[in-house]
Structures are given as structure tokens and as C-alpha cells.
Amino acid sequence: MPKRETSTVESAAAGGVQATEHSMKGKSRHEPCEPCDALPACLERQLRYNLCRFEPRSQDLFHALALGVKEQLLDDWRSTRSRDAEGDKRQVAYLSLEFLMGRALGNALLNLDLTQDARHALLPFAVTLETLAQEEHDAGLGNGGLGRLAACFLDSCASMDIAATGYGIRYEYGMFAQKIVDGFQIERPDRWLREGNPWEVRLHAYSVLVPFFGHTESYVDREGRRHIQWVGTQDVRAVPHDMPVPGYRNGRINTLRLWKAEATDDFDLEEFNQGDYAEAVARKNLAEQITMVLYPNDASENGKELRLRQQYFLCSASLQDMLRRHIARFGDDLSQFAKHNVVQLNDTHPAIAVPELMRLLIDVHCLEWDQAWAITSATMAYTNHTLLPEALECWSVRMLGHMLPRILEIIFEINARYLDLVAHHWPGDADMLAKMSIIEEGSEPRVRMAYLAIVGSFSVNGVAALHTELLTRGLFKDFHALWADKFNNKTNGVTPRRWLMACNPQLASLIDRRLGSDWREDLNRLSSLGAFTSDTDFIKAWREVKTANKAALAALVEHECGVTFDTQMLFDVQVKRIHEYKRQLMNVLHVIHLYQRVLKGDTQGMVPRCVLIGGKAAPGYATAKLIIKLAGNVAHMVNSDPHVTPWLRFAFLPNYNVSAMEVIAPGTDLSEQISTAGKEASGTGNMKFMMNGALTMGTLDGANIEILEAVGEDNFFLFGLNADEVARLKEDYRPKDIIAASPALCSVLELIRSGHFSLQEPGLFDPLVDAIESPWDQWMTAADFDAFVSAQARAAALYATPDEWTVRSIRNTAASGRFSSDATIARYRDDIWRGA
Ligand SMILES: *Cc1c(COP(=O)(O)O)cnc(C)c1O
């Protein structure tokens, strides 16, 4: 049964928030909204008439408050949409398989300036705003840095009055919850929607159909033009669920549009007529699996069919949505589409947007190839996030041909035309053609998604200066030779609303008292803090805030791990996904080294220290899981020895997520950013810590290099090989020689081998030691260990003079302005999204 593209819904039929997308003239900002009452009355009404609870639980109260806050922003949300629908700003679509949003309440109250109103509204109830806020389940629709970057970018776009829409997937199950049982990671499902999501607005009227399977046929129209039809498809309905993204006190409410997969209403008629009604309906439910679960792998997923379905589902639905909006504004003429729209691809995950936009323009909107290509390649921009080769996505040609036959044809056509260009540039060089082809030949040919993204985009960016440089010198060297102009750097950033103002209100108000509040609009103004580094009152006040934040972190650690952290001690923290390249293992080795020193009585120059490690391992990543187990076992030995605990305490914090980070970053003295140089694309955890006055212990990797440059060597603990040295050493790496020459490393590894940390399970950690001793150890733990230990000793020595440490803490916050995602987004806007 041939399917027509009837998927876009006429806007006249639409209901809900968007029904008035074009009907309301932009209201002036901050006009009081007449139809809804102030927050206290809203809350009361929500509780009484919406939630129908007479004795509300905290969860009900949270829901009522969130619904009340949403009510306060609905008018601005509506007027933002009508302004954008009528205005001339270029619309930005940020396409991402991940949005690691965390909680929304605190952020919304801050940005809408409603925190005091919320406190007022809660007076009749015996609960504080802070307690109630904890009832909200994190929206954990992402793995780590990449997903969190998308969330920070949305906040910055809204705050900078950019018309940006986040397009993502409404996963039923977000990032798994991590439990630690006997020291081992156990994954628990994250049903974050169980209690409902008060922020979302479901807009069935804007749903679209996404085709799968089937086959293609060609036909000739009345004018004699040949067309391709993709027929016999099994369609899945994509239903938008919108979340508001409020800007910082500017009246703009942007949208995060998350697609949910649902069955279409049409049945397989044959099955239906055979009387198999129930079977036919049940089969339809398979469609809903597409948006069931987030893939919990940090380095991207390869080969899983469902993952490809998610990618195509997101891209097709989002592009159809953009085309509908464009046509509603400008009519059927799509020639100016790229002038009015830009798509930012967050890594290669949504790279299939390139052939999908081609398909929509050619098959549905009847454009010629060349015109469609001109539009597509002027619309797409691609952000690369990794240098790890195992993370480069490839999809088998066979799978694509079966699932998305029309898309595969278009990819082949794109490749053929692009290879003509390559052949022209490197005449007679067949190797070059094979090397640069979008199709990797072999027994199982595959589509290289990164190449597809580069070919189809007008901009390709890395996420830190070093990362971009390594991309253009290495992985993408040939593309750089072909199209140097496409390549650019956009160093990542983090939003200062969530990562300073909301998570560290005490530090924010201390800064207000010294600088006034202008820094809240322009984070570069924090640099004025440098003027107060000899003001003893200010230093004292700064340290008092840090100590209070350390107490809050200690309470979290006590509650989650049963380990007591002492706020007088140095808080040394490494939280991020567990991965060999991030070298949590080296950090654990350092803890063991300190442990051995204390046992030997060698505490000369030591400073009492609390070490915290947290993060999730991909469920199938055995080595990462073993590192977690080692950390837990070492922690147990350290914390149960009363000779050791005055000097050293160690905890592994389970279930690291955005909300945990909001407590961790403000309470940290020393931030561990110790990846093998050349492996971490940027890092953003490093920026959150810096903003909150932590000093960085770091290698010359990713954005660490720029942090070092911003804050200066005296305020940063630099150690280890740089990226070039790592590359050179790889040629002839002999870790056994290095270990033999390092008494400290030798005895740490011996202690692990001896079974000291695995008395019940001898040999348990041998694979970790073997890996460090192997000449193929890509992460070069042995090579950097001694340098790491001495940098740690320098940190301890500095911490022993608290005022000196605090001055450097102030300098870190003062220099953090350039790592605001506002600064990053300003550069995307000026260099890539021109006209936005
Ligand atoms: C910031 C953040 C990350 C990224 O941390 P890196 O240290 O840059 O890897 C990961 N997860 C969460 C929850 C974060 O908030």
C-alpha cells in the first residue's frame, strides 16, 4: 500500500500551546500575565483542582509548584513562538540524541526570577523549597558531557535571545541508575516519567509520520520528470512533547521538542480482515519501542539496529517539523530554507539528517538534486566530539538498505558526486578514493557517518583548540586538505546559571556583594575578583563559603557512602564517566600510594585528604566496571583503618548525575582532569569545577590547555606528557622499565597483585595491573604516574597554607568567564549560525 507524505498536520487543526503559534503578536516582555494568578494562588489551584490531593505528599506539592511555574511562563512561551514564526531571525535546530537536562525547577525559578515567589507560595506548607526541589526526578536523557553540553547550549541560546529549538527523543527510560552492590556496579532502570512530567506539553496535532522498511519505485510524472517513490513502508508516528527552556530574565522561552514514537492508526488491512484484530493492534505497539530507552554507552553505539532507528526517527521528525514551520511562514518556496534555518548536528548520531533532508526536498517537495544539495549543505553544521577511533559510527550498508532503502540510495548518490570531486582534486589516486569514500568497502560494507556529516555540512567544528587541531592534522586531515574553510573550533562551555548562580548561591551572593550583580549578565566581569586577592576579609569570606559547601558535599557522601568526610581536609574529586582514557585508575593508584605512605609512617609533607570518585561505566565495559570495584575495595581498606583515616579517606559515590554535580562542584577543592593527553576532546566538568573555585590537577588535554592559559600556571597543577609526547612514546613504549624505575609505582602495583585489596577473590585485579604493564597500554598510566604523584604533593603543600590556596581558588573563578557557554554560543552564532 503506497504511503503518501501526509505526515505534516495542517496548523489549523492544531491544538494546545502551539495553536496560537501565528495568532498572537509578540507581547512586550514582562507584562504581567492576566489569565493566571501569581504563583501562590496557582499552586493552591493546581493542588486542589488538578492533582485532587487533600493531603499532598511532597511529590504532589512539587508537581503543583512545577505546574504553577509552567503556568507563569506559558504566555511568554506562546509569544516567543509567534515572534519567531513571524520574525526574520534564522532558526537554529540543535539535533541531539542526548539532552542531559537534570532538574528543571531551580533553573526555571532562577531564570524567571520567581524564587522568592516560590518560597512565599510554600509558606503554608511545612517544607522548604530546597527540600521540595529534590522531589524532581533528573531528566537524565544523556550519557555525559555530550548530552550535558546540549543542555547548557539550550540555556545559553534562550538567554541570548536566539531562536533555537532543541530536538531530541523522549526516552521512556533515561540513563540507568547506578547501584553499588558488593562494590560492583548494578544498573537499575530509570523510569523518570513514572510520576508524570509536569513540564511537558504533548502536541499530538504536530505529530508526523516517519517511514521505515518498504522499497523504492520510480515513476514518470505528467511533465515527463522521473521521480522516486518510497513505498510499502511501515510508518511510525512521532508525537512532540515540548519542554520549556526559559532564558535568563529576558522573556524568551525556547523549546526542547522531544519526540515519542507511537503506532499509527492504520492497520495492515489484510491482517485486519482476517479477523486478527488483537494481533494487529499488538504488532503496532512495536513502534513504541523506538523511544523506549537511551543507549547507555559513552563512546557511541555501533551496529545496533534499534539505535539506527532512533537516529532516523529523530532526524526525519525534526526536519519535517522544520519544513512545516518554514512553509507556514514563507509558503512553498524552499529556496531560502538555509537562509532561515540551520541545523547543528551534535556528533554523528544525527548525521542521517543529511540524506533525509535531501529525500524530503526531492521526493516530497519535488526539488531537483542540485538545488536540494545546495540547500542541504548550506543548512547542516556538524560538531565532532571525539578522537577515539572506536567511537566513530559506521552503519552496515545491508542494514540501511533494509531499514531505509531510499536513504541508502541517496547516500550512494551523494557519495558518487562527492568522489568525483575527490578524483578531481587527487587525479589518478585510487587509494585516496577508497580512503575518503563515505562507503567503507570490505566483506561487510559500511557507511562512515562522520564522513557523511562532513560532506553534507558547511561547518565542521571540534570542541577545544587542541581537539580541533588534532582533528585537522589526523582523523580528518584529507577533508581538511579538500575543504579547509569548513573547519573551525568552538571550545565548549557551561552555563553559569546552573553551574554557579543556582548551585552555589552563597558564592554568587558573596560575589554580588563585592562586584554588584552585573557579572550575572556577562561572566567575563568575574575577572574583577582578581582585585580582591589581598583583601583578607574577602579571602576569609570566600573560604567560609567553600567550607559550607564542603559540609554539604560531606553530608551527601555520608548519606550515600557511609564515609565521613572532614571539611578541614583537602577535598580531591574526580567525577565523570568511568573510562580508561580518563584514568580513574591512576587516581586510585595515587590513593594506594598515599595509603602506603601512611602505613609506613611517612607522612612528612602530607596533608589530610578526602578523595572522591564517582561515575557510571557503560554496562558492557568490563574494565571500567573492574576499576569501580577496585576503587570500592581500596576505599574499604582505607576507611576501616584508624591509623589511616586521620590522613586519608576515600569514597566511591554511586549514581553520579547532574543533580549530584550541583552539590559536588561547589564543595570541591581540587578537580581531577587527568586524561591521557590527546584523548579528551574538551571536558566540561573541568569548567564547572573552576567556576566554583576549585583548582585543577590536569594534563595538557582538551580544554585544560585553555583553562591553564586563562588562569596561569601558578593556579593550576600541570603534569604529564603532552599529546605529541604521547604519540611519540607510543612508538616504543616500555612500561615495565618505567615501573622498575619508580619505587612508588612498583610497590603500589605489588600491593594490588598481592591480593591486599581482593582477599576474597585472589587475582581479581590482575587484568588492571596487566594492562598498565602492557606495551600496548594506550592510556600510558605508568608513564605519567610519578609526575602525577609529585603534582599531588605540590597541591598538598599549597593546601597547607590556606590563604594561598584560597587566593588561587578566587583566581580560578575570576578566570572562568571565557568558559561560560554564553561565550561559546556567541561564537556559534557569529561564525556558524549567521543570521540567528
Ligand atoms: C559535566 C558533566 C559531565 C561531563 O564531565 P567530564 O568531566 O567533562 O567528562 C558528565 N556527567 C555529568 C552528570 C555532568 O554534569
Side-chain angles (χ1 to χ4, degrees), residues 269-550:
L269 277 180
E270 217 166 299
E271 206 169 20
F272 191 60
N273 290 336
Q274 281 164 11
D276 247 346
Y277 174 77
E279 286 287 309
V281 174
R283 197 184 306 283
K284 283 285 158 198
N285 280 338
L286 289 176
E288 316 213 333
Q289 284 183 7
I290 293 176
T291 52
M292 199 54 74
V293 62
L294 167 75
Y295 277 89
N297 288 346
D298 201 20
S300 35
E301 197 67 43
N302 263 314
K304 293 275 193 311
E305 182 174 328
L306 184 58
R307 170 75 172 178
L308 178 60
R309 283 225 253 173
Q310 290 182 339
Q311 296 181 347
Y312 182 65
F313 175 78
L314 166 68
C315 293
S316 181
S318 307
L319 291 168
Q320 289 184 52
D321 197 52
M322 291 175 68
L323 285 163
R324 173 187 59 76
R325 284 156 76 156
H326 183 82
I327 289 166
R329 168 85 171 91
F330 298 101
D332 289 333
D333 177 11
L334 292 172
S335 62
Q336 302 300 302
F337 184 79
K339 180 172 171 238
H340 297 290
N341 294 276
V342 58
V343 173
Q344 192 70 42
L345 304 171
N346 198 21
D347 212 331
T348 58
H349 313 155
I352 206 155
V354 171
E356 173 62 4
L357 183 54
M358 290 297 287
R359 180 187 75 86
L360 292 168
L361 293 176
I362 294 169
D363 294 0
V364 181
H365 297 282
C366 299
L367 266 55
E368 299 290 345
W369 181 280
D370 289 338
Q371 202 187 358
W373 184 249
I375 293 169
T376 299
S377 55
T379 300
M380 300 290 167
Y382 157 53
T383 304
N384 173 279
H385 281 270
T386 179
L387 291 157
L388 301 183
E390 67 267 29
L392 290 178
E393 276 190 304
C394 292
W395 291 110
S396 101
V397 166
R398 196 176 33 81
M399 191 199 290
L400 262 165
H402 177 62
M403 187 193 301
L404 306 168
R406 178 62 180 136
I407 294 299
L408 183 63
E409 286 177 6
I410 292 171
I411 291 173
F412 280 144
E413 181 73 26
I414 291 172
N415 196 40
R417 289 166 185 252
Y418 145 73
L419 287 181
D420 281 348
L421 191 78
V422 174
H424 195 76
H425 203 269
W426 287 278
D429 191 340
D431 287 350
M432 206 56 166
L433 286 180
K435 212 167 93 184
M436 292 185 75
S437 173
I438 293 172
I439 309 296
E440 176 192 270
E441 297 298 347
S443 58
E444 175 75 70
R446 302 191 303 167
V447 178
R448 296 158 164 158
M449 300 306 278
Y451 292 10
L452 178 61
I454 296 171
V455 171
S457 298
F458 67 90
S459 162
V460 178
N461 74 282
V463 291
L466 174 70
H467 172 229
T468 303
E469 190 197 319
L470 294 176
L471 275 182
T472 54
R473 278 191 354 214
L475 216 48
F476 297 158
K477 178 162 65 77
D478 301 327
F479 292 94
H480 187 249
L482 196 56
W483 292 308
D485 289 353
K486 282 193 189 187
F487 289 83
N488 63 95
N489 176 246
K490 294 287 167 283
T491 299
N492 284 167
V494 300
T495 170
R497 266 78 59 189
R498 182 176 298 262
W499 296 115
L500 179 51
M501 299 173 209
C503 75
N504 202 342
Q506 291 197 64
L507 197 67
S509 68
L510 174 61
I511 296 170
D512 281 343
R513 291 200 293 279
R514 276 304 151 124
L515 302 186
S517 57
D518 287 356
W519 64 274
R520 290 171 181 261
E521 305 284 343
D522 175 5
L523 208 69
N524 286 313
R525 300 216 171 102
L526 286 179
S527 62
S528 316
L529 286 173
F532 301 103
T533 49
S534 38
D535 177 335
T536 49
D537 287 345
F538 187 67
I539 292 171
K540 182 158 170 282
W542 190 274
R543 188 157 57 242
E544 280 166 5
V545 170
K546 180 58 82 177
T547 305
N549 289 329
K550 286 170 76 172

Side-chain angles (χ1 to χ4, degrees), residues 100 138 143-146 148-149 152 298 494 499 575-577 581-582 656-662 672-673 680 682-689:
L100 191 48
D138 269 43
N143 274 283
L146 175 150
R148 185 53 231 175
L149 184 76
C152 284
D298 201 20
V494 300
W499 296 115
V575 288
K576 48 182 75 247
R577 286 300 291 263
Y581 85 80
K582 293 177 183 274
Y656 172 58
N657 61 10
V658 170
S659 290
M661 187 55 164
E662 290 171 16
E672 300 288 345
Q673 307 298 336
E680 183 76 270
S682 163
T684 48
N686 46 6
M687 300 168 185
K688 300 167 202 164
F689 283 115

Side-chain angles (χ1 to χ4, degrees), residues 516-821:
S517 57
D518 287 356
W519 64 274
R520 290 171 181 261
E521 305 284 343
D522 175 5
L523 208 69
N524 286 313
R525 300 216 171 102
L526 286 179
S527 62
S528 316
L529 286 173
F532 301 103
T533 49
S534 38
D535 177 335
T536 49
D537 287 345
F538 187 67
I539 292 171
K540 182 158 170 282
W542 190 274
R543 188 157 57 242
E544 280 166 5
V545 170
K546 180 58 82 177
T547 305
N549 289 329
K550 286 170 76 172
L553 175 53
L556 178 72
V557 171
E558 180 85 55
H559 184 261
E560 296 295 321
C561 318
V563 178
T564 306
F565 275 12
D566 177 343
T567 58
Q568 294 304 303
M569 296 165 78
L570 170 66
F571 279 21
D572 170 352
V573 177
Q574 185 179 26
V575 288
K576 48 182 75 247
R577 286 300 291 263
I578 309 292
H579 201 292
E580 288 162 281
Y581 85 80
K582 293 177 183 274
R583 295 201 295 198
Q584 284 93 355
L585 181 55
M586 188 167 75
N587 199 3
V588 177
L589 299 186
H590 175 247
V591 172
I592 297 173
H593 168 69
L594 294 178
Y595 170 73
Q596 289 188 306
R597 281 185 58 190
V598 178
L599 290 182
K600 278 196 301 198
D602 170 24
T603 54
Q604 180 73 41
M606 254 176 97
V607 134
R609 183 190 294 246
C610 297
V611 181
L612 185 67
I613 296 183
K616 294 171 185 175
Y621 190 172
T623 304
K625 289 180 138 179
L626 194 54
I627 292 169
I628 292 175
K629 173 65 174 162
L630 175 64
N633 285 17
V634 171
H636 181 74
M637 296 299 284
V638 165
N639 300 326
S640 57
D641 188 334
H643 299 295
V644 176
T645 51
W647 292 101
L648 183 63
R649 299 173 197 186
F650 182 29
F652 184 89
L653 182 78
N655 204 38
Y656 172 58
N657 61 10
V658 170
S659 290
M661 187 55 164
E662 290 171 16
V663 180
I664 295 166
T668 294
D669 294 310
L670 185 62
S671 151
E672 300 288 345
Q673 307 298 336
I674 59 179
S675 52
T676 312
K679 302 293 183 187
E680 183 76 270
S682 163
T684 48
N686 46 6
M687 300 168 185
K688 300 167 202 164
F689 283 115
M690 178 200 201
M691 215 172 258
N692 285 278
L695 279 66
T696 302
M697 166 72 55
T699 47
L700 282 172
D701 200 16
N704 286 356
I705 294 173
E706 289 154 81
I707 288 178
L708 173 66
E709 191 179 289
V711 78
E713 291 226 20
D714 289 346
N715 307 293
F716 186 109
F717 302 104
L718 176 66
F719 75 96
L721 301 173
N722 67 28
D724 289 338
E725 290 165 344
V726 166
R728 243 178 287 132
L729 186 57
K730 218 176 138 181
E731 308 288 306
D732 184 25
Y733 183 48
R734 301 176 191 209
K736 288 210 164 135
D737 295 353
I738 298 171
I739 295 165
S742 164
L745 183 53
C746 221
S747 66
V748 166
L749 296 181
E750 251 168 47
L751 192 65
I752 299 174
R753 281 248 198 250
S754 76
H756 185 78
F757 302 108
S758 52
L759 294 173
Q760 316 298 319
E761 300 134 294
L764 178 63
F765 300 121
D766 285 358
L768 298 180
V769 180
D770 292 345
I772 292 169
E773 292 177 342
S774 159
W776 294 278
D777 176 23
Q778 293 187 68
W779 323 114
M780 301 200 163
T781 304
D784 275 344
F785 183 76
D786 278 359
F788 180 52
V789 169
S790 52
Q792 289 285 16
R794 279 187 275 137
L798 185 68
Y799 193 75
T801 46
D803 281 358
E804 286 295 311
W805 183 279
T806 303
V807 164
R808 284 163 175 80
S809 166
I810 297 167
R811 287 193 192 133
N812 268 272
T813 302
S816 67
R818 69 186 253 201
F819 303 105
S820 163
S821 46

